[in-house]
């Protein structure tokens, strides 16, 4: 996301020459393609591999990430980069879902949310260190260098998993049919909708944070990395807090956090032209949105019954539906000449819609369990 302008300028030169805004908006398809790969792969791969040993699976998926990143760096055209990103996204949901199950088992009873948060902290710390560093590399040496470095990191991660993660069996009784039975639960669909819509606003803003910093706040490209550090730092704090909130009641945490996200996006829109306030708001924005993620995953695991592998993977499908939705809608309002702050209002609308879905879920749950209402 931090090197989106470089991708647009390099692979869409004619469009860039006539309209950088349109070029950046179209380049957002690269993000959407990866997200769609995650969505497709999460359900199919997780369901098909639920009975296999978990450690072996995460190693195989990490190898696939490495290969996908190399293909992304080598692709000569915009269309081939889009295809490579789609292929690279396929194992994402199953990887993080199974990793979350490993962590939840290691953490023990009553700490599933904290186990999920532990795995997700890898993503949040990556946003503090990796994303800004890769953005600098992309700005200095080209976006292709960024993907090669990502591939090297994945290769190191593969070795680290093989050396340190304990062996853990899969579910020998799992079948594709049993895992897919989760889709018969209305509450599973509602939880997926909350994650997809409620977090879409995060990606609407995050996907276009680079032009927000340079065009709205009037800062140089070097400040984009600092903006990403602010978001990532907030995500790290929010994720850890979110794990504890999830263990105390996932659905309750969701209905509290979504209005806060909507209000924070309004604040971000109001202060974005002031650099100091923009960076402070980006930190808070990362925190409140990241706090929501463990609750969504815990909620999915709560309502999925026996299909725990699929439920854990579906959280990442939901996140990446939000990623695709947010990137697409954010790009659309920018291309429509509403400006680089318009994605914040897209986020407000999506957070409110996610809250409405969560309230429907709570109402149905109370109707089914009157003693709890």
């Amino acid at each position: 996301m931090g090197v989106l302008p470089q991708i647009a300028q390099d692979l869409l030169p004619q469009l860039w020459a006539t309209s950088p805004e349109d070029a950046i908006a179209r380049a957002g398809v690269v993000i959407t393609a990866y997200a769609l790969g995650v969505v497709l792969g999460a359900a199919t791969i997780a369901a098909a591999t639920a009975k296999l040993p978990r450690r072996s699976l995460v190693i195989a998926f990490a190898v696939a990430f490495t290969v996908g990143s190399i293909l992304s760096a080598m692709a000569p055209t915009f269309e081939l980069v889009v295809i490579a990103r789609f292929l690279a996204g396929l194992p994402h949901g199953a990887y993080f879902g199974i990793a979350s199950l490993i962590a939840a088992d290691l953490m023990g009873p009553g700490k599933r949310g904290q186990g999920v948060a532990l795995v997700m902290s890898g993503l949040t710390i990556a946003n503090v260190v990796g994303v800004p560093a890769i953005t600098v590399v992309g700005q200095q040496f080209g976006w292709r260098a960024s993907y090669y470095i990502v591939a090297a990191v994945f290769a190191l991660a593969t070795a680290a998993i093989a050396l340190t993660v304990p062996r853990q069996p899969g579910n020998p009784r799992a079948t594709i049919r049993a895992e897919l039975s989760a889709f018969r639960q209305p509450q599973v669909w509602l939880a997926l909708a909350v994650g997809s819509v409620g977090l879409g606003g995060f990606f609407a803003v995050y996907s276009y944070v680079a032009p927000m910093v340079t065009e709205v706040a009037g800062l140089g490209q070097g400040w984009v990395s600092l903006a990403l550090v602010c978001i990532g730092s907030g995500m790290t704090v929010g994720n850890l807090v979110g794990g504890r909130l999830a263990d105390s009641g996932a659905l309750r945490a969701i209905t509290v956090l979504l209005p806060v996200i909507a209000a924070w996006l309004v604040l971000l829109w109001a202060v974005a032209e002031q650099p100091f306030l923009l960076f402070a708001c980006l930190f808070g924005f990362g925190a409140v949105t990241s706090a929501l993620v463990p609750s969504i995953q815990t909620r999915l695991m709560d309502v999925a019954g026996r299909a725990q592998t699929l439920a854990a993977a579906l959280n990442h499908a939901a996140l990446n539906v939000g990623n695709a939705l947010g990137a697409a809608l954010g790009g659309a309002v920018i291309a429509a000449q509403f400006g680089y702050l318009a994605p914040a209002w897209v986020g407000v609308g999506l957070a409110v819609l996610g809250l409405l879905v969560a309230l429907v879920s709570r109402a149905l749950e109370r109707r089914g369990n009157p003693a709890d209402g």
Side-chain angles (χ1 to χ4, degrees):
M1 292 172 177
V3 295
L4 203 60
Q6 285 72 35
I7 293 175
Q9 188 171 9
D10 183 37
L11 296 180
L12 303 168
Q14 293 181 338
L15 185 58
W16 178 270
T18 58
S19 174
E21 286 186 348
D22 288 345
I24 290 174
R26 186 179 175 194
V29 173
V30 173
I31 300 170
T32 302
Y34 183 90
L36 292 177
V38 177
V39 174
L40 180 62
T44 55
I45 295 175
T49 60
K51 65 170 56 179
L52 299 178
R54 291 172 177 171
R55 176 173 171 271
S56 299
L57 283 174
V58 293
I59 291 173
F61 295 149
V63 170
F65 286 143
T66 306
V67 174
S69 298
I70 293 172
L71 291 176
S72 300
M74 295 176 63
T77 67
F78 179 74
E79 291 76 15
L80 289 176
V81 171
V82 170
I83 293 171
R85 297 315 297 151
F86 173 79
L87 294 174
L90 288 173
H92 177 121
Y95 173 88
F96 280 101
I98 293 171
S100 294
L101 290 176
I102 293 173
D105 284 350
L106 292 175
M107 294 290 285
K111 294 184 177 180
R112 284 189 308 168
Q114 294 176 59
V116 171
L118 178 66
V119 171
M120 295 302 293
S121 68
L123 285 175
T124 61
I125 292 170
N127 278 279
V128 178
V129 180
V131 175
I134 289 300
T135 298
V136 172
V137 170
Q139 291 170 347
Q140 297 298 319
F141 303 102
W143 63 271
R144 294 184 189 276
S146 298
Y147 277 124
Y148 280 123
I149 292 177
V150 168
V153 172
F154 278 137
L156 290 173
T158 304
I161 294 167
L163 292 172
T164 64
V165 174
R167 295 181 182 273
Q168 204 176 94
N171 181 1
R173 296 183 299 276
T175 64
I176 295 178
R177 182 176 181 179
E179 289 291 317
L180 294 179
S181 68
F183 287 119
R184 293 201 295 265
Q185 305 295 329
Q187 290 287 8
V188 169
W189 286 103
L190 290 171
L192 286 172
V194 170
S196 302
V197 177
L199 286 166
F202 172 78
F203 294 105
V205 173
Y206 191 36
S207 298
Y208 304 100
V209 70
M212 184 182 295
V213 170
T214 57
E215 303 300 323
V216 177
L219 300 172
Q221 282 193 352
W223 290 91
V224 174
S225 296
L226 179 58
L228 294 171
V229 168
C230 289
I231 295 175
S233 299
M235 291 174 66
T236 301
V237 174
N239 176 66
L240 297 176
V241 173
R244 296 187 178 275
L245 290 175
D247 285 331
S248 65
L251 189 56
R252 184 188 310 114
I254 289 169
T255 57
V256 169
L257 287 168
L258 281 169
V260 176
I261 291 171
W264 206 277
L265 283 166
V266 174
L267 179 62
L268 178 64
W269 169 83
V271 305
E273 293 182 357
Q274 306 298 321
F276 177 79
L277 294 177
L278 171 62
F279 292 142
C281 275
L282 288 175
F283 174 88
F285 172 63
V288 295
T289 50
S290 183
L292 185 62
V293 176
S295 291
I296 294 172
Q297 176 137 359
T298 302
R299 177 65 178 170
L300 278 165
M301 294 165 73
D302 286 342
V303 299
R306 294 178 301 164
Q308 291 295 294
T309 302
L310 181 62
L314 285 177
N315 182 45
H316 298 275
L319 287 175
N320 282 275
V321 169
N323 192 344
L325 182 66
L329 292 178
V333 294
I334 291 173
Q337 307 300 315
F338 287 108
Y340 288 116
L341 287 180
W345 286 106
V346 171
V348 172
L350 291 175
V352 171
L353 183 57
L355 175 62
L356 294 175
V357 175
L359 293 175
V360 169
S361 177
R362 186 169 69 178
L364 290 176
E365 188 169 81
R366 288 179 172 176
R367 181 179 299 176
N369 300 279
D372 295 341

